Amino acid sequence: MHTLHPSVPIPYFTKEDVTSTAREATAHLPGRPPAKELAFYGGLGALTVAGVLEWPVALAVGGATWLLRSGRKEKKEAGAETQA
């Protein structure tokens, strides 16, 4: 009976490789959201986990809130650009 053992190269990562890759990846992420938004979405999630809200309702409320807030931010930024 013959057994086949293919050679598979295993990459070696140093600590510096991992940290530099993580820094590059997180550099493109947006900053931390304001505490007010964290409290709102955290409360929405807590209500869903507690069973007060069903998850489709919580998803709809959270999504609509996010869309409205992002629309306001875009309008404010566009207004600031035209005034400058």
Side-chain angles (χ1 to χ4, degrees):
M1 179 169 176
H2 296 288
T3 308
L4 178 65
H5 296 285
S7 62
V8 178
I10 298 175
Y12 178 75
F13 295 109
T14 64
K15 181 181 175 184
E16 290 79 22
D17 292 337
V18 175
T19 54
S20 68
T21 303
R23 282 192 186 120
E24 287 180 31
T26 57
H28 300 291
L29 295 175
R32 206 172 100 188
K36 186 177 179 181
E37 288 185 17
L38 285 176
F40 175 75
Y41 293 117
L44 197 61
L47 290 172
T48 305
V49 170
V52 177
L53 290 175
E54 295 291 325
W55 70 265
V57 175
L59 185 64
V61 169
T65 304
W66 179 78
L67 282 173
L68 290 172
R69 287 182 179 171
S70 65
R72 286 186 202 156
K73 287 179 186 176
E74 289 176 4
K75 285 182 182 178
K76 284 182 183 179
E77 290 174 359
E81 289 177 2
T82 57
Q83 291 177 0

